[in-house]
Amino acid sequence: MLFDWAQQPFHTLIITFVFAPYFAAAVAPDAARGQELWGYATGIGGLMIALSSPVLGAIADASGPRKPWIFGFSTIGVLACAALWFAVPGMAPLWPVLVVVALAFFGMEFAAVFNNAMMPTLVPRSELGRLSGSAWGLGYLGGLVSLVLVLGFMSTTSGTSHTLLGVEPIFGLDPLQREGDRAAGPLTALWYVVFVLPMFLLTPDQPRRSVTGAVRQGLRQLGSTLYRLPSERSYFSFLASSMFYRDALNALYTFGGIYAAGVLNWSITQIGLFGILANVTGALGAWAGGRMDQAFGPKAVVSTSILTLSFCCLLVISTTRSDVLFLPVGGAAALPDIVFFLAGALIGAAGGAVQAASRTLLVDQAPRAQVTEAFGLYALSGKATTFIGPFSVAVATAYFSSEALALAPETAQRLGVTPILVLFLLGLILLPMVRSRQPAG
């Protein structure tokens, strides 16, 4: 469970609420261009995972232990996160930052593949939903605590030299150089190193098997699985469905802060408060989702969550400084902010529940002896569109920002995130063909 606590600040601070909007607002030339470049960087990281995770997962199943793989990929992720400190405002060229973001995404996400594969060996299947939900909830709390640290003691509020708590940034962080926002990278790295240690030291791992022939055996098993996968309707449908809805959720997380900065003109502090709310509701949603999983099965949790997230996506796209649900708000200037905060609360709750339930729904599809391979295919199915999702947002944003259309940057950003809603709906259409265990009781 502490692995989720250790890793969540990467998603909270780097991918969503602090570094991503900082990159779009202060490092990139403008918010629309920042959204486009961020999409390419995270998309490349996802593509790297998509091409390699099933193969490495199958090899790990054949060789036994998962911790060595977690350590290797964690090292890549930690070093890349720490390097984000050097992304100074207005820097040029931008490609070094984009490379580091892609590597951080690659390392952190790959470490999660092998951590997830350890879960079915730790508890009985009847307890797996509660374990996954509780772990994901604990992760959201970790993201919340780390976000409070950044907003309360490091990042300054817009137009001032003080943090959200009204104090000067710790360690003499320079507000003019946005060092409080940049410090999210090193803090994420340090946080991960400290809190992942209990998993390495105390959690039992699979025994080591003969390494001789492990690569050949793993590749043979993967080939056999891929050959029969189309005939396994439930397994295949789950991978396809999750490919779409998880990527839509990741894209919603990735571009939510950037969208708020560009369309609603929110400061990093406002985006951070939005993140605090989403993390609180995410922890509650993951915990409650784990209990619902145990009572009704993971499929019911996933279906309900996707419907909720689709509504939230529509709510986000339809909200600007002057409109809510595409209708003018007149003199109610605060209404768009209130609606966006409400959407964030629902996204946090439904997102926490759907991600926790998806891990247990996957376990229902594959034999336990092939669980790392299954999570590798799960990563492949997710990452196959994890790069398509950001790329589609990037391409759509670039298209709507083109001189030929002559749209305002705010309008281009709004239209640029519409592919996210399409991905949610595709995931929902495929879900009825997925089988799930019968609920407890």
Side-chain angles (χ1 to χ4, degrees):
M1 288 173 62
L2 276 172
F3 178 90
D4 282 2
W5 169 281
Q7 194 199 43
Q8 184 60 35
F10 169 72
H11 300 284
T12 301
L13 301 181
I14 305 300
I15 297 299
T16 308
F17 295 116
V18 177
F19 192 85
Y22 157 70
F23 173 83
V27 182
D30 57 69
R33 178 63 172 163
Q35 177 171 292
E36 177 187 348
L37 293 174
W38 193 262
Y40 289 134
T42 55
I44 290 171
L47 177 61
M48 293 163 64
I49 298 170
L51 295 176
S52 52
S53 57
V55 175
L56 296 183
I59 294 172
D61 278 332
S63 60
R66 278 82 174 198
K67 287 183 183 179
W69 299 89
I70 298 174
F71 178 82
F73 289 111
S74 295
T75 301
I76 296 173
V78 164
L79 293 176
C81 285
L84 292 176
W85 168 259
F86 299 103
V88 298
M91 67 176 292
L94 292 176
W95 68 262
V97 182
L98 302 178
V99 170
V100 168
V101 169
L103 286 174
F105 194 85
F106 173 77
M108 290 296 190
E109 288 286 331
F110 234 135
V113 169
F114 293 96
N115 174 77
N116 291 343
M118 296 173 68
M119 291 196 310
T121 64
L122 301 176
V123 295
R125 173 61 186 86
S126 60
E127 297 293 321
L128 191 57
R130 187 164 63 176
L131 170 64
S132 183
S134 298
W136 212 284
L138 184 64
Y140 272 107
L141 290 178
L144 172 63
V145 173
S146 66
L147 188 57
V148 169
L149 287 176
V150 170
L151 296 180
F153 300 99
M154 296 181 179
S155 179
T156 55
T157 57
S158 180
T160 75
S161 59
H162 293 82
T163 69
L164 185 63
L165 295 180
V167 300
E168 293 185 357
I170 59 175
F171 308 127
L173 296 172
D174 186 357
L176 294 179
Q177 291 298 312
R178 303 290 292 271
E179 290 183 350
D181 301 326
R182 291 156 51 196
L187 174 63
T188 297
L190 179 61
W191 181 285
Y192 184 90
V193 169
V194 171
F195 290 113
V196 82
L197 285 177
M199 186 279 293
F200 281 112
L201 297 176
L202 303 175
T203 304
D205 200 357
Q206 292 289 91
R208 183 172 298 278
R209 305 187 185 103
S210 174
V211 179
T212 305
V215 174
R216 183 181 303 173
Q217 179 183 345
L219 293 177
R220 185 185 301 117
Q221 178 60 55
L222 175 61
S224 175
T225 300
L226 292 175
Y227 178 77
R228 71 173 187 275
L229 188 59
S231 64
E232 297 187 14
R233 181 181 178 185
S234 178
Y235 194 179
F236 185 76
S237 298
F238 171 74
L239 291 176
S241 174
S242 67
M243 175 176 69
F244 292 117
Y245 73 71
R246 286 187 298 131
D247 185 47
L249 180 60
N250 289 333
L252 195 57
Y253 286 156
T254 299
F255 294 103
I258 295 174
Y259 184 94
V263 176
L264 297 180
N265 300 317
W266 276 13
S267 66
I268 295 295
T269 301
Q270 288 175 296
I271 295 171
L273 291 173
F274 177 85
I276 290 174
L277 177 63
N279 274 270
V280 170
T281 59
L284 294 173
W287 179 85
R291 271 63 187 171
M292 291 175 61
D293 181 335
Q294 195 169 28
F296 305 109
K299 184 176 175 180
V301 178
V302 171
S303 301
T304 304
S305 299
I306 293 176
L307 287 172
T308 303
L309 289 165
S310 298
F311 168 74
C312 291
C313 188
L314 180 61
L315 196 59
V316 166
I317 293 171
S318 66
T319 300
T320 68
R321 284 256 59 94
S322 58
D323 297 319
V324 171
L325 287 175
F326 303 110
L327 299 175
V329 297
L335 184 59
D337 297 324
I338 295 172
V339 169
F340 210 76
F341 272 110
L342 175 62
L346 290 174
I347 289 169
V354 75
Q355 292 179 99
S358 294
R359 294 196 291 198
T360 57
L361 188 54
L362 173 63
V363 173
D364 289 339
Q365 315 301 319
R368 177 166 292 193
Q370 298 167 22
V371 70
T372 315
E373 176 194 271
F375 274 104
L377 290 172
Y378 183 61
L380 169 63
S381 66
K383 301 316 171 189
T385 54
T386 288
F387 75 83
I388 291 175
F391 279 162
S392 65
V393 172
V395 170
T397 304
Y399 171 73
F400 291 116
S401 300
S402 63
E403 294 182 0
L405 296 180
L407 298 176
E410 173 191 304
T411 305
Q413 271 196 276
R414 293 177 69 189
L415 296 176
V417 298
T418 51
I420 298 175
L421 180 59
V422 176
L423 291 172
F424 274 130
L425 296 177
L426 289 174
L428 190 63
I429 290 171
L430 291 167
L431 199 60
M433 292 179 282
V434 180
R435 64 171 170 81
S436 174
R437 68 169 178 86
Q438 294 298 313

